[in-house]
Amino acid sequence: MTQLLPVLPTVDEHHVDGRRYPHGVAFMDGQYLPMSEAKISVLDWGFLHSDATYDTVHVWNGRFFRLDLHLDRFFGGVERLRMKLPYDRKKIESILAACVALSGHKSAYVEMICTRGSSPAFSRDPRQAENRFMAFAIPFGSVANKEQLERGLHVAISETVRIPPKSIDPAIKNYHWLDLVKGLFDAYDVGAETALILDTNGHIAEGPGFNVFVVKDGSLKTPAFGVLPGITRRTVFDLCAEMGLSATAVDVSRAEIKGADEVFITSTAGGIMPVTRIDDTAIADGQVGSVTRRLKDLYWRKHDDPAWSTAVSYP
Ligand SMILES: Cc1ncc(COP(=O)(O)O)c(C=O)c1O
């Protein structure tokens, strides 16, 4: 029989990582680090079991957009998962601002994460794990690129069902993305650019990192059930109130979305993004609609408004 290991490899003292990462600054264990140094243990339950919650806020022209709402959602998730953060809200705000200021990015994608962590003896009891907080700021990224934002996205509806709210409360922003990633591959297989997946009743739910809205006869609808209550989705409700448009959260069927006058998706990663084609159906005349354009313009204008945004002090 051949020996499996005729010569034992040596154990290196430190990990050397030759990969490249986007430019940015991360915070973990009380230290600010370049992105290439921000690593978690393979024993962290956040990695092994997706036992984590997070939030993503963006910075645009040097200002956080609706940071308070993102912090509310993050702290809500941490509490519901029975985790404990080592820092209070003020400190977390200052850590996020420091990551952005140190990165120098005027437009940034800023993520805060709390993982279950692990215990020294790798106990299977989650109560014994030491929860971990980390954060990072990297350049702003968008679900849709410039060309897609101008002409509207081509979306495919996948048969994949989003994880039911009775399994995972969608209000806890989480990394349970296997359904969403499957939806994306289903979409790529039919030549579309991104996906919408279904709720447990066969209605439209959400997509990989975004909520969806339909516009019909000047009124807006967005799925109510089994979706993350997105901050951009909430912002659309606020903008609609200001613009005198009606917007409601209700079930949205496939027929309704395909028969809509306009469709758009919403995410911190890109804002309000038009959809002009679903499966083989063009939405109305296949052009970006006027309600979507007006909402998108107002959304970006709000980014300089001190009532909706907070300045970062750069060195
Ligand atoms: C599953 C899911 N739905 C919706 C959204 C949109 O939420 P928000 O507008 O807060 O970015 C996200 C954002 O990452 C998401 O992951």
Side-chain angles (χ1 to χ4, degrees):
M1 209 167 82
T2 54
Q3 263 189 296
L4 269 182
L5 283 169
V7 184
L8 270 183
T10 51
V11 177
D12 289 324
E13 260 182 58
H14 297 288
H15 171 222
V16 177
D17 182 357
R19 293 171 195 84
R20 293 175 57 215
Y21 297 91
H23 175 78
V25 171
F27 172 90
M28 54 173 36
D29 296 326
Q31 301 155 63
Y32 291 94
L33 301 159
M35 282 315 295
S36 56
E37 293 297 317
K39 306 281 166 61
I40 61 158
S41 165
V42 291
L43 297 180
D44 192 310
W45 280 38
F47 170 66
L48 292 178
H49 305 304
S50 286
D51 190 348
T53 187
Y54 75 110
D55 217 289
T56 304
V57 55
H58 69 221
V59 168
W60 193 252
N61 287 336
R63 303 179 74 87
F64 279 106
F65 188 61
R66 312 203 91 178
L67 179 58
D68 273 345
L69 296 180
H70 288 278
L71 288 169
D72 287 348
R73 187 170 64 181
F74 180 60
F75 276 79
V78 167
E79 195 183 325
R80 271 179 272 185
L81 292 177
R82 305 201 205 185
M83 291 177 180
K84 283 201 176 57
L85 287 165
Y87 310 110
D88 65 14
R89 187 168 166 130
K90 270 266 146 289
K91 175 71 182 169
I92 287 181
E93 256 180 50
S94 73
I95 291 169
L96 298 176
C99 286
V100 176
L102 291 168
S103 77
H105 295 313
K106 296 285 156 36
S107 295
Y109 177 98
V110 185
E111 191 154 327
M112 62 201 97
I113 306 162
C114 186
T115 69
R116 185 72 60 194
S118 64
S119 63
F122 197 47
S123 161
R124 302 194 71 83
D125 181 342
R127 292 170 303 184
Q128 288 173 11
E130 193 187 312
N131 305 158
R132 292 187 70 177
F133 172 79
M134 42 210 117
F136 62 82
I138 55 173
F140 180 81
S142 171
V143 171
N145 63 31
K146 194 166 174 289
E147 187 217 328
Q148 292 165 338
L149 287 172
E150 276 158 21
R151 66 151 155 86
L153 283 153
H154 175 194
V155 176
I157 300 174
S158 160
E159 292 305 313
T160 309
V161 173
R162 186 76 173 115
I163 195 164
K166 278 193 174 167
S167 303
I168 309 286
D169 176 354
I172 304 170
K173 193 167 156 70
N174 63 71
Y175 294 121
H176 292 271
W177 266 52
L178 296 187
D179 45 10
L180 295 167
V181 173
K182 178 172 178 296
L184 259 184
F185 278 105
D186 291 345
Y188 297 152
D189 285 347
V190 296
E193 293 161 329
T194 191
L196 281 165
I197 68 171
L198 306 175
D199 70 17
T200 42
N201 303 314
H203 296 121
I204 302 294
E206 61 187 341
F210 53 83
N211 296 111
V212 63
F213 281 82
V214 299
V215 184
K216 186 76 187 173
D217 300 328
S219 296
L220 287 86
K221 282 186 191 175
T222 188
F225 176 71
V227 299
L228 175 77
I231 305 301
T232 322
R233 173 181 182 267
R234 149 84 193 264
T235 298
V236 168
F237 280 97
D238 295 340
L239 297 176
C240 282
E242 215 172 291
M243 290 164 66
L245 293 167
S246 138
T248 45
V250 286
D251 287 341
V252 174
S253 69
R254 292 173 206 229
E256 264 176 303
I257 199 165
K258 289 189 181 178
D261 297 333
E262 298 180 33
V263 176
F264 60 83
I265 59 170
T266 61
S267 174
T268 295
I272 294 171
M273 297 166 276
V275 173
T276 45
R277 185 178 185 84
I278 295 187
D279 297 333
D280 292 330
T281 311
I283 301 306
D285 62 359
Q287 305 294 312
V288 177
S290 64
V291 174
T292 307
R293 278 188 199 287
R294 281 163 56 215
L295 279 165
K296 191 173 149 201
D297 288 351
L298 187 56
Y299 172 81
W300 287 108
R301 273 190 273 132
K302 290 290 186 189
H303 283 64
D304 305 326
D305 181 340
W308 296 57
S309 64
T310 323
V312 174
S313 317
Y314 292 86

